[in-house]
Amino acid sequence: MICLHPRWFYLLCLLAFLPGLSVTLAQPLTLEGAVEASLSQYPTLAAQRAAVEALRANAQVVRDNRLPNVRLHSQTNVGTANGLSGSYFSLGLIVPTSGARRADNSGNLATGNIALASADWEVFNFGRFAAEDQLIRAEVAVGEAGLEREQFDLRQAVIGAYLDVFWAEQTRRIEGQNLARVDTVRQIISNLVRNGIKPGLDSSLANVALSRARLAYLRVEEDYERARVQLATLTGRPLEQIQIDTAFRPEPLLAPVLAPASTANHPLLRVGERLVIRQTTEIDLIRKSALPRLSLLAATWARGTSLDVENNFGPLGSGLAYSRTNYLLGVAATMNLMDLKRAGSRVRLQQFRVEEARNQLALGQVQLQNSLSTADAQLTVLQRQLTELPSALRSAQAAYAQRLSLYNNGLETILGLTDALTLLTTVEKEAVQTRTQAVQLRLQRALATNDFAAFYTLFRR
């Protein structure tokens, strides 16, 4: 039988109740993981998806509007029945009365009963229904392209925030190393000053350098925390869980620049392409909306009245039964001649919108191609700078070590040592800045081609 110490027993119980907690805390956030987390939960994408679903649902709304109108109506009335010859526009305000013409107005009451069923169905309109369906499909396609563009923009924002954290952490590491070196130098100088080997001024200058190094580190720390907050907002994770993977492979930065890639089928262009189709489709709908419409009409009704055939007032109860029935069938053609004029004006307006959409698409194509060409040209030059970085770093480190050794032996001044220390820190920061610029150009190329596979390899272990 194995006996566990109570401390180990409590630890095992904690791990049993919190499965995966240690894994979550220990596993850093990768670049691709940050992108996937944002794409799965970010509110703007959810809103865009809902908008696309609304466009799809609108297609069913339009189809339902084409169903035949079938109306049922029944009423029972009591009132006077005095008729008079003449015509008028009712305007929905005058209640129609059907009764005999009499010499005098009568206050006698008559009852009436009427039931009505009518239907009308637009069965043919020279392709307007088909044009409406095509327009709806084009609008759904524009919405889907907008969702893809939103995903593309969000991916770009997440990668940018991730890189801000990554490079801020690199700079923070350099400032931390610089702070440690300055502190080491200060301690050496303080010992030399106490022993009377170096003047007190050197100690004062060392303290100033230490304070400046601390301030520089705190400024970088502020930038680092700000970048973490932005990344936490985009990924939907608590700030305390934002610990990125620091893996970085600089070798792909030196790979030869590939031949100019194609920017076709890009999410930013796809929106413009589908918008051109959508605007062009609406022209067809405008023209067909002005064409005649053929409808089937049908109605049947039954009626009763307490007036007899001689228009004499009978018992009120006799008007509650139906005594006459009728039906009517017909075909109606409807056309508003002025719609032709209105359609012509709307078509001209829509043609300008099509031209606008095409010009915007052409501008987007030029901008993407220009971004790709610029990235390729700058990468070619920047790669030469990257090849010089190792040599520059080694030289700066060697210079600092030599100046420190000379200072310890009394052969160098504090100013020379400070210059060497400043030079080393400057070269380290320049190395980070050069790599930052190279990575940014690789990202610019990935954004222009919508191909992130090669870019992601820079941050894979």
Side-chain angles (χ1 to χ4, degrees), residues 156-202:
Q156 180 179 358
V158 173
I159 292 176
Y162 188 95
L163 291 180
D164 288 342
V165 176
F166 182 86
W167 297 121
E169 188 166 332
Q170 298 294 314
T171 305
R172 187 179 66 158
R173 177 182 58 81
I174 292 174
E175 294 293 354
Q177 292 174 348
N178 180 58
L179 179 59
R181 287 192 294 259
V182 172
D183 189 44
T184 300
V185 171
R186 183 191 63 83
Q187 294 176 12
I188 294 173
I189 293 175
S190 297
N191 291 332
L192 294 175
V193 170
R194 280 195 300 267
N195 294 327
I197 300 175
K198 292 292 182 180
L201 178 61
D202 286 7

Short mmCIF file of all heavy atoms in Angstrom, two decimals, residues 156-202:
data_model
loop_
_atom_site.label_atom_id
_atom_site.label_comp_id
_atom_site.label_asym_id
_atom_site.label_seq_id
_atom_site.Cartn_x
_atom_site.Cartn_y
_atom_site.Cartn_z
N GLN A 156 -5.39 40.74 -39.97
CA GLN A 156 -4.32 41.74 -40.05
C GLN A 156 -4.15 42.45 -38.70
O GLN A 156 -3.02 42.68 -38.25
CB GLN A 156 -4.64 42.75 -41.14
CG GLN A 156 -3.59 43.84 -41.31
CD GLN A 156 -3.95 44.81 -42.43
OE1 GLN A 156 -4.95 44.64 -43.11
NE2 GLN A 156 -3.12 45.81 -42.62
N ALA A 157 -5.26 42.81 -38.06
CA ALA A 157 -5.18 43.50 -36.77
C ALA A 157 -4.58 42.61 -35.70
O ALA A 157 -3.76 43.07 -34.88
CB ALA A 157 -6.58 43.97 -36.36
N VAL A 158 -4.96 41.34 -35.68
CA VAL A 158 -4.43 40.42 -34.67
C VAL A 158 -2.94 40.20 -34.87
O VAL A 158 -2.16 40.21 -33.91
CB VAL A 158 -5.19 39.08 -34.72
CG1 VAL A 158 -4.55 38.07 -33.78
CG2 VAL A 158 -6.64 39.29 -34.33
N ILE A 159 -2.53 39.99 -36.12
CA ILE A 159 -1.10 39.80 -36.39
C ILE A 159 -0.33 41.05 -35.98
O ILE A 159 0.76 40.96 -35.37
CB ILE A 159 -0.88 39.47 -37.87
CG1 ILE A 159 -1.46 38.09 -38.20
CG2 ILE A 159 0.61 39.50 -38.21
CD1 ILE A 159 -1.37 37.73 -39.67
N GLY A 160 -0.87 42.23 -36.28
CA GLY A 160 -0.20 43.46 -35.89
C GLY A 160 -0.07 43.58 -34.38
O GLY A 160 1.00 43.96 -33.87
N ALA A 161 -1.15 43.24 -33.65
CA ALA A 161 -1.10 43.31 -32.18
C ALA A 161 -0.12 42.28 -31.62
O ALA A 161 0.61 42.57 -30.66
CB ALA A 161 -2.50 43.09 -31.61
N TYR A 162 -0.12 41.10 -32.22
CA TYR A 162 0.80 40.05 -31.76
C TYR A 162 2.25 40.49 -31.98
O TYR A 162 3.10 40.32 -31.10
CB TYR A 162 0.52 38.75 -32.52
CG TYR A 162 1.27 37.54 -32.00
CD1 TYR A 162 0.68 36.69 -31.09
CD2 TYR A 162 2.56 37.26 -32.43
CE1 TYR A 162 1.36 35.57 -30.60
CE2 TYR A 162 3.26 36.16 -31.95
CZ TYR A 162 2.65 35.31 -31.04
OH TYR A 162 3.33 34.22 -30.57
N LEU A 163 2.53 41.07 -33.14
CA LEU A 163 3.89 41.53 -33.42
C LEU A 163 4.28 42.67 -32.49
O LEU A 163 5.46 42.78 -32.10
CB LEU A 163 4.01 41.96 -34.88
CG LEU A 163 3.91 40.85 -35.92
CD1 LEU A 163 4.03 41.42 -37.32
CD2 LEU A 163 4.98 39.78 -35.69
N ASP A 164 3.32 43.53 -32.14
CA ASP A 164 3.63 44.60 -31.19
C ASP A 164 4.08 44.02 -29.85
O ASP A 164 5.05 44.51 -29.25
CB ASP A 164 2.40 45.49 -30.98
CG ASP A 164 2.11 46.37 -32.18
OD1 ASP A 164 3.01 46.55 -33.02
OD2 ASP A 164 0.97 46.87 -32.29
N VAL A 165 3.37 42.99 -29.39
CA VAL A 165 3.77 42.34 -28.14
C VAL A 165 5.13 41.67 -28.30
O VAL A 165 6.01 41.77 -27.43
CB VAL A 165 2.71 41.31 -27.70
CG1 VAL A 165 3.17 40.55 -26.45
CG2 VAL A 165 1.38 41.99 -27.44
N PHE A 166 5.32 40.99 -29.44
CA PHE A 166 6.56 40.25 -29.67
C PHE A 166 7.77 41.18 -29.67
O PHE A 166 8.77 40.95 -28.97
CB PHE A 166 6.46 39.50 -31.00
CG PHE A 166 7.67 38.67 -31.32
CD1 PHE A 166 7.78 37.38 -30.84
CD2 PHE A 166 8.69 39.18 -32.11
CE1 PHE A 166 8.90 36.61 -31.12
CE2 PHE A 166 9.81 38.42 -32.40
CZ PHE A 166 9.91 37.12 -31.91
N TRP A 167 7.69 42.27 -30.45
CA TRP A 167 8.84 43.17 -30.54
C TRP A 167 9.02 43.99 -29.28
O TRP A 167 10.16 44.32 -28.90
CB TRP A 167 8.69 44.09 -31.75
CG TRP A 167 8.69 43.36 -33.05
CD1 TRP A 167 7.71 43.35 -34.00
CD2 TRP A 167 9.72 42.49 -33.55
NE1 TRP A 167 8.05 42.55 -35.05
CE2 TRP A 167 9.29 42.00 -34.81
CE3 TRP A 167 10.94 42.06 -33.07
CZ2 TRP A 167 10.03 41.14 -35.58
CZ3 TRP A 167 11.70 41.18 -33.83
CH2 TRP A 167 11.25 40.72 -35.07
N ALA A 168 7.91 44.32 -28.60
CA ALA A 168 8.04 45.01 -27.31
C ALA A 168 8.75 44.13 -26.30
O ALA A 168 9.56 44.60 -25.49
CB ALA A 168 6.67 45.43 -26.78
N GLU A 169 8.45 42.84 -26.36
CA GLU A 169 9.13 41.91 -25.45
C GLU A 169 10.61 41.79 -25.81
O GLU A 169 11.47 41.70 -24.92
CB GLU A 169 8.45 40.54 -25.51
CG GLU A 169 8.95 39.57 -24.47
CD GLU A 169 8.06 38.36 -24.32
OE1 GLU A 169 6.85 38.48 -24.59
OE2 GLU A 169 8.58 37.31 -23.93
N GLN A 170 10.93 41.78 -27.11
CA GLN A 170 12.34 41.75 -27.52
C GLN A 170 13.07 43.01 -27.04
O GLN A 170 14.19 42.93 -26.53
CB GLN A 170 12.43 41.64 -29.05
CG GLN A 170 11.81 40.37 -29.63
CD GLN A 170 12.55 39.12 -29.20
OE1 GLN A 170 13.77 39.07 -29.25
NE2 GLN A 170 11.81 38.12 -28.77
N THR A 171 12.44 44.16 -27.22
CA THR A 171 13.06 45.41 -26.78
C THR A 171 13.19 45.44 -25.26
O THR A 171 14.19 45.93 -24.72
CB THR A 171 12.24 46.60 -27.27
OG1 THR A 171 12.06 46.52 -28.69
CG2 THR A 171 12.91 47.92 -26.94
N ARG A 172 12.17 44.93 -24.58
CA ARG A 172 12.24 44.88 -23.11
C ARG A 172 13.41 44.00 -22.65
O ARG A 172 14.09 44.31 -21.67
CB ARG A 172 10.92 44.35 -22.55
CG ARG A 172 10.84 44.43 -21.05
CD ARG A 172 9.51 43.93 -20.53
NE ARG A 172 9.34 42.50 -20.77
CZ ARG A 172 8.51 41.72 -20.08
NH1 ARG A 172 7.75 42.26 -19.14
NH2 ARG A 172 8.39 40.44 -20.37
N ARG A 173 13.62 42.91 -23.36
CA ARG A 173 14.75 42.03 -23.02
C ARG A 173 16.07 42.78 -23.20
O ARG A 173 16.98 42.68 -22.35
CB ARG A 173 14.71 40.78 -23.88
CG ARG A 173 15.89 39.83 -23.66
CD ARG A 173 15.79 38.63 -24.59
NE ARG A 173 15.75 39.05 -25.99
CZ ARG A 173 16.84 39.37 -26.68
NH1 ARG A 173 18.04 39.36 -26.12
NH2 ARG A 173 16.74 39.73 -27.95
N ILE A 174 16.19 43.53 -24.29
CA ILE A 174 17.43 44.30 -24.53
C ILE A 174 17.62 45.35 -23.45
O ILE A 174 18.73 45.52 -22.91
CB ILE A 174 17.38 44.94 -25.92
CG1 ILE A 174 17.44 43.87 -27.01
CG2 ILE A 174 18.52 45.93 -26.11
CD1 ILE A 174 17.26 44.40 -28.41
N GLU A 175 16.55 46.06 -23.11
CA GLU A 175 16.66 47.08 -22.06
C GLU A 175 16.98 46.44 -20.72
O GLU A 175 17.71 47.02 -19.89
CB GLU A 175 15.37 47.88 -21.96
CG GLU A 175 15.06 48.74 -23.18
CD GLU A 175 16.05 49.89 -23.37
OE1 GLU A 175 16.90 50.09 -22.50
OE2 GLU A 175 15.95 50.57 -24.41
N GLY A 176 16.45 45.24 -20.49
CA GLY A 176 16.78 44.54 -19.25
C GLY A 176 18.25 44.14 -19.20
O GLY A 176 18.90 44.26 -18.15
N GLN A 177 18.76 43.67 -20.35
CA GLN A 177 20.18 43.33 -20.41
C GLN A 177 21.04 44.58 -20.22
O GLN A 177 22.06 44.55 -19.52
CB GLN A 177 20.50 42.67 -21.75
CG GLN A 177 19.88 41.29 -21.92
CD GLN A 177 20.10 40.74 -23.31
OE1 GLN A 177 20.52 41.46 -24.22
NE2 GLN A 177 19.81 39.46 -23.49
N ASN A 178 20.61 45.68 -20.85
CA ASN A 178 21.35 46.92 -20.70
C ASN A 178 21.33 47.39 -19.24
O ASN A 178 22.35 47.85 -18.71
CB ASN A 178 20.75 47.99 -21.60
CG ASN A 178 21.48 49.32 -21.50
OD1 ASN A 178 22.68 49.40 -21.73
ND2 ASN A 178 20.75 50.36 -21.12
N LEU A 179 20.17 47.27 -18.60
CA LEU A 179 20.07 47.66 -17.19
C LEU A 179 21.00 46.81 -16.33
O LEU A 179 21.68 47.33 -15.42
CB LEU A 179 18.62 47.52 -16.72
CG LEU A 179 18.33 47.86 -15.26
CD1 LEU A 179 18.72 49.31 -14.97
CD2 LEU A 179 16.85 47.63 -14.94
N ALA A 180 21.06 45.52 -16.61
CA ALA A 180 21.95 44.63 -15.84
C ALA A 180 23.41 44.99 -16.08
O ALA A 180 24.22 45.01 -15.14
CB ALA A 180 21.68 43.18 -16.22
N ARG A 181 23.77 45.30 -17.32
CA ARG A 181 25.16 45.67 -17.61
C ARG A 181 25.53 46.99 -16.94
O ARG A 181 26.61 47.14 -16.38
CB ARG A 181 25.37 45.77 -19.13
CG ARG A 181 25.41 44.42 -19.83
CD ARG A 181 25.92 44.57 -21.26
NE ARG A 181 25.00 45.33 -22.09
CZ ARG A 181 24.15 44.78 -22.97
NH1 ARG A 181 24.11 43.46 -23.12
NH2 ARG A 181 23.36 45.54 -23.70
N VAL A 182 24.62 47.95 -17.02
CA VAL A 182 24.88 49.25 -16.39
C VAL A 182 25.03 49.08 -14.88
O VAL A 182 25.91 49.71 -14.24
CB VAL A 182 23.76 50.25 -16.72
CG1 VAL A 182 23.91 51.53 -15.91
CG2 VAL A 182 23.76 50.57 -18.20
N ASP A 183 24.19 48.24 -14.28
CA ASP A 183 24.28 48.01 -12.84
C ASP A 183 25.60 47.34 -12.48
O ASP A 183 26.22 47.66 -11.45
CB ASP A 183 23.10 47.16 -12.38
CG ASP A 183 23.01 47.08 -10.87
OD1 ASP A 183 23.18 48.12 -10.21
OD2 ASP A 183 22.82 45.96 -10.35
N THR A 184 26.02 46.39 -13.33
CA THR A 184 27.31 45.73 -13.09
C THR A 184 28.46 46.73 -13.16
O THR A 184 29.36 46.74 -12.30
CB THR A 184 27.53 44.60 -14.11
OG1 THR A 184 26.48 43.65 -13.99
CG2 THR A 184 28.87 43.92 -13.90
N VAL A 185 28.42 47.59 -14.17
CA VAL A 185 29.45 48.62 -14.30
C VAL A 185 29.42 49.55 -13.10
O VAL A 185 30.48 49.96 -12.58
CB VAL A 185 29.26 49.39 -15.62
CG1 VAL A 185 30.18 50.61 -15.67
CG2 VAL A 185 29.54 48.47 -16.81
N ARG A 186 28.22 49.92 -12.67
CA ARG A 186 28.11 50.82 -11.50
C ARG A 186 28.73 50.20 -10.27
O ARG A 186 29.43 50.89 -9.49
CB ARG A 186 26.64 51.15 -11.26
CG ARG A 186 26.41 52.14 -10.12
CD ARG A 186 24.95 52.21 -9.75
NE ARG A 186 24.47 50.94 -9.24
CZ ARG A 186 24.62 50.53 -7.98
NH1 ARG A 186 25.25 51.30 -7.09
NH2 ARG A 186 24.15 49.37 -7.59
N GLN A 187 28.50 48.90 -10.06
CA GLN A 187 29.07 48.24 -8.89
C GLN A 187 30.60 48.21 -8.97
O GLN A 187 31.30 48.43 -7.97
CB GLN A 187 28.52 46.82 -8.79
CG GLN A 187 27.02 46.77 -8.48
CD GLN A 187 26.48 45.35 -8.48
OE1 GLN A 187 27.24 44.39 -8.47
NE2 GLN A 187 25.16 45.22 -8.47
N ILE A 188 31.11 47.94 -10.21
CA ILE A 188 32.57 47.93 -10.38
C ILE A 188 33.15 49.31 -10.07
O ILE A 188 34.16 49.46 -9.36
CB ILE A 188 32.93 47.47 -11.79
CG1 ILE A 188 32.53 46.01 -12.01
CG2 ILE A 188 34.42 47.66 -12.06
CD1 ILE A 188 32.70 45.52 -13.42
N ILE A 189 32.49 50.34 -10.63
CA ILE A 189 32.98 51.71 -10.44
C ILE A 189 32.90 52.10 -8.96
O ILE A 189 33.82 52.74 -8.42
CB ILE A 189 32.19 52.69 -11.32
CG1 ILE A 189 32.49 52.42 -12.79
CG2 ILE A 189 32.50 54.13 -10.97
CD1 ILE A 189 31.66 53.24 -13.74
N SER A 190 31.81 51.70 -8.31
CA SER A 190 31.67 52.04 -6.89
C SER A 190 32.79 51.44 -6.07
O SER A 190 33.34 52.09 -5.15
CB SER A 190 30.30 51.56 -6.37
OG SER A 190 29.25 52.22 -7.04
N ASN A 191 33.17 50.20 -6.37
CA ASN A 191 34.27 49.56 -5.64
C ASN A 191 35.59 50.28 -5.90
O ASN A 191 36.40 50.50 -4.99
CB ASN A 191 34.39 48.09 -6.05
CG ASN A 191 33.22 47.27 -5.56
OD1 ASN A 191 32.62 47.61 -4.53
ND2 ASN A 191 32.89 46.19 -6.27
N LEU A 192 35.79 50.66 -7.19
CA LEU A 192 37.03 51.37 -7.53
C LEU A 192 37.09 52.74 -6.87
O LEU A 192 38.16 53.19 -6.43
CB LEU A 192 37.15 51.50 -9.04
CG LEU A 192 37.33 50.18 -9.83
CD1 LEU A 192 37.33 50.45 -11.32
CD2 LEU A 192 38.62 49.47 -9.41
N VAL A 193 35.96 53.42 -6.79
CA VAL A 193 35.92 54.74 -6.15
C VAL A 193 36.18 54.62 -4.66
O VAL A 193 36.92 55.43 -4.06
CB VAL A 193 34.57 55.43 -6.44
CG1 VAL A 193 34.42 56.70 -5.58
CG2 VAL A 193 34.46 55.78 -7.91
N ARG A 194 35.55 53.61 -4.02
CA ARG A 194 35.76 53.42 -2.59
C ARG A 194 37.22 53.12 -2.26
O ARG A 194 37.73 53.50 -1.21
CB ARG A 194 34.87 52.28 -2.07
CG ARG A 194 33.43 52.70 -1.83
CD ARG A 194 32.69 51.68 -1.00
NE ARG A 194 32.65 50.38 -1.64
CZ ARG A 194 31.66 49.96 -2.43
NH1 ARG A 194 30.64 50.80 -2.68
NH2 ARG A 194 31.70 48.77 -2.96
N ASN A 195 37.90 52.43 -3.18
CA ASN A 195 39.31 52.10 -2.97
C ASN A 195 40.25 53.21 -3.41
O ASN A 195 41.47 53.06 -3.39
CB ASN A 195 39.67 50.81 -3.71
CG ASN A 195 38.94 49.60 -3.14
OD1 ASN A 195 38.70 49.55 -1.93
ND2 ASN A 195 38.58 48.65 -3.99
N GLY A 196 39.64 54.33 -3.91
CA GLY A 196 40.44 55.45 -4.30
C GLY A 196 41.12 55.32 -5.64
O GLY A 196 41.98 56.13 -5.99
N ILE A 197 40.74 54.30 -6.39
CA ILE A 197 41.38 54.09 -7.69
C ILE A 197 40.78 55.00 -8.75
O ILE A 197 41.48 55.48 -9.65
CB ILE A 197 41.26 52.61 -8.10
CG1 ILE A 197 41.94 51.73 -7.04
CG2 ILE A 197 41.84 52.36 -9.48
CD1 ILE A 197 41.76 50.24 -7.30
N LYS A 198 39.48 55.24 -8.65
CA LYS A 198 38.77 56.09 -9.62
C LYS A 198 38.19 57.30 -8.90
O LYS A 198 37.85 57.23 -7.70
CB LYS A 198 37.66 55.31 -10.32
CG LYS A 198 38.16 54.22 -11.25
CD LYS A 198 38.87 54.79 -12.46
CE LYS A 198 39.32 53.69 -13.41
NZ LYS A 198 40.01 54.25 -14.61
N PRO A 199 38.02 58.39 -9.63
CA PRO A 199 37.45 59.59 -8.99
C PRO A 199 35.96 59.42 -8.71
O PRO A 199 35.28 58.59 -9.32
CB PRO A 199 37.69 60.69 -10.03
CG PRO A 199 37.77 59.98 -11.33
CD PRO A 199 38.42 58.65 -11.03
N GLY A 200 35.45 60.22 -7.79
CA GLY A 200 34.02 60.14 -7.43
C GLY A 200 33.10 60.52 -8.56
O GLY A 200 31.94 60.13 -8.58
N LEU A 201 33.61 61.30 -9.51
CA LEU A 201 32.78 61.67 -10.66
C LEU A 201 32.32 60.44 -11.42
O LEU A 201 31.20 60.40 -11.93
CB LEU A 201 33.56 62.61 -11.58
CG LEU A 201 32.84 63.04 -12.87
CD1 LEU A 201 31.56 63.79 -12.54
CD2 LEU A 201 33.77 63.88 -13.75
N ASP A 202 33.18 59.44 -11.50
CA ASP A 202 32.79 58.22 -12.23
C ASP A 202 31.59 57.55 -11.58
O ASP A 202 30.69 57.03 -12.26
CB ASP A 202 33.98 57.25 -12.27
CG ASP A 202 35.05 57.70 -13.25
OD1 ASP A 202 34.92 58.82 -13.78
OD2 ASP A 202 36.00 56.93 -13.48
#
